[in-house]
Amino acid sequence: MSQFRGPLAIAAVSLTVPLIATVTQSSPSAPSASSATPAASPKSAAPAAPATSAAPSKPVKPSAKPGPTKAPSAIPAVQDYDAASGPGWKPQRSTRVVVAPDNSRALADEGKLLAQELKRGFSAAGSGRAGDIELALKPGGAPESYTLTVRDGRVRVTGADEAGVFYGTRTVKQALAADGRLSEGVVRDKPAKPQRGVMLDTARKHFSADWIEDTVREMGDLKLNQLGLHFSDDQGFRIASDSHPEVVSQQHLTKAEVRRIVKLAESRHITVIPEIDSPGHLGAVMDAHPELQLRDAQGVPTRGAVDIANPDSARIVDDLLSEYAGLFPGRYVHLGGDEYQALTKRNPEASYPGLAREAVRKYGPNAKIQDLATGWLNDRAATLRPRGKSLKAWNDGLHAGGVVKADQDREVEYWTGKEIGAREPQEYLSEGRKLVNANDEYLYYVLGEPNTFTYPTGRRIYESWTPLVLRGTTPVPARYADQILGGRLAIWCDLSNAQTQEQVARGIHLPMRALAQKTWDSGKPALDWEGFKALAGRTG
């Protein structure tokens, strides 16, 4: 468990209102405590407070005296707040979290989690009263949107979907941590971008399941909704495999641990996205299968690059992709595609004549090695598409020209313009492609800061970056805004021993919050950086 997160999070939910017993006991499958309490491993998780048949405390009538009016303090900030005259709301001894009867099953997890965090009672399919927090679905709004109403001495959170209700509860939790109360009025809130997340390189550095779960809880509180796991690279293969156990590194996540992470992520409305990067970055696989190693015309092996002219290479990668498609039930799989070393040579066809011959055989006399690489990713996508998966790839894995075109439906994760083959963002956008922003100028947290990388700062993201800034520091034209689906903070572990897990947690604390703000609302924030940083300290 990260020592950094625990104390901050404890302070974030410290309330002066005494604890009351829960009205109904949480089920064994209820989500574990959020990052607002010290994260415990599943074996040591504290049990839910016991149910009681005693009559609940008599509600305390709210004061009729008007209270101070302000939008709820939260990261990311709420987008729209209509103030109203009235006393506002703060938790009482009798406060419960109550789920509307029609939504008792759908919103049980969200209700139990908030009740646990606030140390208050929970009522499934109950009827709200003064002092309560009521949760309900109200379909018809934008995905992930919610309305938070404070009126008549109670709080009501309605969402267009379960994620929207959950995000409304995150606003309640943060506002109470920061201000101790909620002002009278109505909040209407929704994200600017549908993809808001973090990518973690577990291949080069093993991260414990507990650490990843801490990160999931933290992401949920910030309304981030995607966690990428880059678990295969030259340095390691970090998830257990039944189809090819020989490729798995000694330090790895078990499938049981992965299922636990995925289940926790689902309870926070976070999709976990697996990435097996190919045809480059497959060194750990080839350590167990050296016969698949790409070799140049002189027979010299090319580190990390698999021989894509060898049908056995496709077979083993498809085996692994198919196996993990079941382990990760979310919509997306990341195919990688970046930095295939055969394409970094001045004359790839002369350096790798075997690949050149296979390109011509498969795609015709004008085909080159880049066409073979493009076809490789198209084929891997074809393996996964029947399983209902949507595919992603790094931008330098989609090549210009050539006789083979990358699948149009593949989302582009744009990270750099520095690599050979990398094109300007507008080239991908003008083709009608959808992009996710992983700009290495702002969003790359690379351990040890090699190759001119510097650790990103929350301030720089907060003040200078928007999803339109895809490469370097210059934004693309605003007309492309709808094609840019969001942004991702990428944690790469090139020098894996440069930081401990705890140091990584501290280092990404503010950058992750800045990213959450700028992907939820791409406009200029109301708070200056110092105000935002202070708020981050109060909300956890």
Side-chain angles (χ1 to χ4, degrees), residues 253-371:
L253 296 172
T254 67
K255 286 192 172 182
E257 287 174 322
V258 172
R259 291 187 185 99
R260 200 177 76 202
I261 290 166
V262 168
K263 183 177 181 180
L264 176 65
E266 288 176 339
S267 76
R268 266 62 172 181
H269 300 278
I270 294 169
T271 300
V272 183
I273 302 172
E275 180 190 353
I276 297 178
D277 197 349
S278 77
H281 296 283
L282 278 174
V285 171
M286 287 180 292
D287 285 346
H289 292 276
E291 71 278 7
L292 304 181
Q293 180 87 53
L294 178 64
R295 296 177 180 273
D296 66 14
Q298 286 71 48
V300 177
T302 304
R303 178 63 179 162
V306 71
D307 183 358
I308 57 177
N310 186 339
D312 288 339
S313 299
R315 193 170 299 116
I316 190 171
V317 173
D318 283 349
D319 286 347
L320 293 166
L321 289 172
S322 298
E323 177 180 1
Y324 294 113
L327 186 62
F328 294 91
R331 171 185 172 188
Y332 286 104
V333 172
H334 201 305
L335 297 172
D338 62 310
E339 297 182 321
Y340 188 51
Q341 293 302 306
L343 296 175
T344 66
K345 304 299 182 181
R346 185 183 300 275
N347 187 336
E349 284 69 35
S351 297
Y352 299 96
L355 295 183
R357 288 192 298 271
E358 179 63 12
V360 170
R361 186 197 70 79
K362 193 168 184 179
Y363 298 114
N366 296 322
K368 297 184 180 297
I369 292 175
Q370 75 166 51
D371 296 301

Side-chain angles (χ1 to χ4, degrees), residues 31 33 62 101 106 138 140 209 218 243 271 281 287 347 398 404 422 439 489 515:
K138 189 177 181 181
E218 193 172 1
S243 64
T271 300
H281 296 283
D287 285 346
N347 187 336
L398 283 81
V404 180
N439 187 341
L489 179 69
L515 176 83

Side-chain angles (χ1 to χ4, degrees), residues 32 83-84 88 160 200 219 240 267 369 372 382 454 457 461 470 487 490 508:
S32 53
L200 180 64
M219 289 173 61
S267 76
I369 292 175
L372 196 63
T454 59
T457 66
I461 297 168
L470 284 157
I508 66 174

